[in-house]
Amino acid sequence: MPNRRPRSLKHEYELYVEEEIENYKESIPRSALLAIGDEAVAMLERDSQLSLTELLLCDAVDQIIFRRLRLPSYQTWRRRRLKAAAELRRPERWGLAPDAPVVRAVVPSADGQVLVAGEGTEGSALLLAAHGCDVLTIGSEEDALTRVLSEAEAAGLSERVRALVGDLGSFIPHAPLRAVVCSLSALSALSKTERARALELLKDATADGGIHLVEGVRADGVRGATVFDEVVASYAGWRISMEGDPGTGTLVAWKEVA
């Protein structure tokens, strides 16, 4: 997923107004649209300093529709937009605690994407997208991925979230990763060989200074404890710590800058 230059709020507002006006034009019969055109012609003819051109006519039609729809001014729209964006950046909005490890550890960056995988990581994917990260979420359940994409679309985050059906054993990174967030269950579902290969690929693809979070590291009983020990051993050379309680904690590993 290529990095995108963020659009200015002014540009987003212009796109919003354009879409609203075009949707209105498509929703009314041709006779009503022609009537608006006649109104625009009369408005322009009242100003003797202007010569009637197709461009001026189109602008006048748009102005009439803008007023008819009572669309907000840029300043009003901007206040609403910033308020909505702030709400989406709240961890609680996505079912996460304010001090969850993913909230404190993953710093949004334009360099590289964030990989999110496994059951129970949907909230992390959406929160990171709300903070401006490009997120690739992987899962074996199509229904779960569809829910994530639907929530992202409803929140205006669809450009930031991409979904891929599969598991970490079949995933091959094709772009640098800024962070990896996965559940222990996503690793436990793999064989020992698959797990070791997947972790090596993910570590190699992660940029210096990047971070990995493995959530729920002691929630899978005896097998989970065994997998957890393997995961910890695989991060030799990385700086690691445990966050949260012993039952549902998160392993956090930082890749040192070379």
Side-chain angles (χ1 to χ4, degrees):
M1 179 186 298
N3 294 325
R4 293 178 290 271
R5 294 177 62 86
R7 292 195 297 247
S8 69
L9 285 179
K10 187 67 173 178
H11 182 48
E12 286 194 21
Y13 173 72
E14 292 169 352
L15 293 175
Y16 156 75
V17 170
E18 180 182 351
E19 183 176 8
E20 291 294 315
I21 290 174
E22 291 304 314
N23 287 341
Y24 180 78
K25 289 177 181 177
E26 293 178 2
S27 70
I28 60 176
R30 178 175 173 79
S31 58
L33 188 56
L34 291 174
I36 296 176
D38 292 338
E39 183 180 345
V41 169
M43 182 178 69
L44 291 172
E45 287 179 343
R46 287 196 296 268
D47 191 340
S48 59
Q49 302 299 316
L50 294 175
S51 58
L52 183 59
T53 67
E54 183 177 350
L55 181 59
L56 284 175
L57 181 59
C58 289
D59 286 343
V61 167
D62 288 351
Q63 290 172 25
I64 292 171
I65 295 175
F66 182 96
R67 291 193 297 269
R68 184 169 295 183
L69 293 176
R70 297 183 179 180
L71 296 178
S73 67
Y74 169 65
Q75 291 302 329
T76 299
W77 177 89
R78 181 178 182 273
R79 286 194 298 271
R80 294 173 182 172
R81 176 72 169 77
L82 292 176
K83 182 179 180 180
E87 171 62 23
L88 293 177
R89 290 194 293 269
R90 293 178 61 248
E92 298 90 336
R93 170 67 174 76
W94 307 112
L96 299 171
D99 61 346
V102 68
V103 177
R104 293 181 286 106
V106 180
V107 178
S109 169
D111 300 326
Q113 64 181 247
V114 177
L115 175 68
V116 179
E119 183 181 356
T121 58
E122 294 86 356
S124 295
L126 293 164
L127 176 69
L128 292 170
H131 277 273
C133 295
D134 284 333
V135 177
L136 172 61
T137 180
I138 297 178
S140 57
E141 298 293 333
E142 290 190 39
D143 289 345
L145 294 178
T146 299
R147 285 194 300 271
V148 172
L149 292 178
S150 296
E151 289 196 54
E153 183 176 6
L157 301 172
S158 55
E159 289 189 356
R160 290 290 181 186
V161 181
R162 187 161 61 97
L164 181 66
V165 177
D167 57 36
L168 292 177
S170 59
F171 175 68
I172 299 177
H174 294 292
L177 300 174
R178 172 63 181 168
V180 174
V181 180
C182 72
S183 63
L184 185 66
S185 60
L187 294 170
S188 299
L190 306 177
S191 68
K192 183 175 182 178
T193 300
E194 291 172 333
R195 186 162 49 248
R197 175 181 175 275
L199 287 171
E200 284 305 310
L201 285 175
L202 294 176
K203 290 190 298 180
D204 288 344
T206 302
D208 290 349
I211 187 170
H212 286 196
L213 287 84
V214 182
E215 299 178 340
V217 294
R218 297 177 187 169
D220 286 351
V222 175
R223 173 167 171 74
T226 301
V227 173
F228 170 64
D229 290 339
E230 290 179 18
V231 172
V232 171
S234 73
Y235 283 104
W238 288 45
R239 180 165 54 93
I240 64 174
S241 70
M242 272 296 302
E243 303 283 345
D245 64 73
T248 58
T250 297
L251 173 69
V252 184
W254 291 267
K255 187 173 186 178
E256 302 287 4
V257 177

